Amino acid sequence: MKKRSHSENENKDRLSNLPDSVILHILSFLNTKHVVQSCVLSTRWKHLWKCIPTLILHSSRFTTVKKFASFVSNILTLRDTSSSLHALDLYLHGDIEPQLLTNYACSHNIPRILSCVSSCKALTSLKLSLGIGHFTTTLFPDSLNLPLLTNLDLTNFAFSAEPFSTFTKLNSLALHSCKIRNAKLLKISSEMLVNLTMHNSFDCVKIELSTPILCTFSFIGNLIQEISGSGLSSVKKVNINTNDDPASLGDVSSPLNWLMLLSNVESLTVTSPILQILSLDPDLLVVKLFSLCKLKSLEVELIPLRDGLLQLVKEAMLKKADAKLRRAFKARLKSHPIPDEIVDFLRQNLPSTEVKITTDFSTYFNLKQVVI
């Protein structure tokens, strides 16, 4: 057989010889703007982009919102509707022009993209992020019909009291900087929800979780809400992060009330300010925990205290000091990042629980000097 020359091997288009399914999988990792540009490669690639199962639409790739809106409209119009859309990642940055909006029966303006998304019945993953400031006017619709949706990630949206009940297959939910409108109670109901993330979201009075198989729960923000329902009884892994002044909590017992609901948690991550807030309760160490009975791993993330909380901690330490030593003590007062006996309090039901101390503030904390 005649051997092919080195130049022939170099010029061979190996990528185009791959099956369509493999090429489409590769293209799914690219921004949709770049995917569309692949149509100039050859005749075979001319219409291949229309079958892409993942759309990544970020306005940062365009010089104006108007150009972005035109691109999105063309993509949704020209796309092969017989091909299932598995994932949509949409990020709008900057002001949303009126041409992008439509008026729903709820009389709130929402991006027109949502009406297009609602027609994608096979959609399984949806990520939507609006520019900062739009959550006051942009309401996520209760009537969005996506029967196969399993993953939902939303940023800067407003919601009604029970926004996710129609997503019967929802497995993972992430909410970032979201708000609830005209209600004091937020209900999250989902028979299939396994992972829940809430970051700096909601200023309601109460959160009610009806999520019987929830396994992982991550919360970053103010612990001002009362939390209830069956949602936390099945959770195995929890991450609670707050760095706010306890005055915003309303009651220093709020973190303890949350922890009391974690009956089956095996892995718990908390930030050091939470432990400081717990230590402000003078009767804490006599409380019998009826939760955390299965705790195997406890991780404490060290974070510098804000001025308001630092002052309260110092005042609490002074009250515990002997009167004769207060003056000298006050002059050299320094708060320990992990209050005495708090870690033992958390693992009182299982003393063998592994404890790990971490920090992203290595210039502020010396982990070798942190003793528990």
Side-chain angles (χ1 to χ4, degrees), residues 142-174:
D142 293 343
S143 57
L144 200 60
N145 184 18
L146 299 172
L148 300 182
L149 190 71
T150 58
N151 296 283
L152 180 61
D153 190 316
L154 301 172
T155 301
N156 289 337
F157 276 90
F159 299 96
S160 61
E162 193 170 0
F164 310 112
S165 57
T166 59
F167 304 135
T168 57
K169 302 290 185 180
L170 196 61
N171 177 269
S172 179
L173 174 63

Side-chain angles (χ1 to χ4, degrees), residues 106-124:
C106 59
S107 63
H108 292 288
N109 287 328
I110 66 172
R112 186 173 64 190
I113 185 67
L114 290 179
S115 63
C116 300
V117 168
S118 189
S119 66
C120 302
K121 304 302 182 185
L123 192 68
T124 60

Side-chain angles (χ1 to χ4, degrees), residues 189-219:
S189 302
S190 177
E191 295 291 324
M192 303 298 293
L193 192 65
V194 175
N195 304 305
L196 174 61
T197 299
M198 301 175 68
H199 286 187
N200 299 317
S201 293
F202 306 111
D203 51 3
C204 55
V205 175
K206 186 175 181 179
I207 299 174
E208 184 178 304
L209 299 180
S210 180
T211 50
I213 63 170
L214 188 65
C215 183
T216 301
F217 179 50
S218 177
F219 184 95

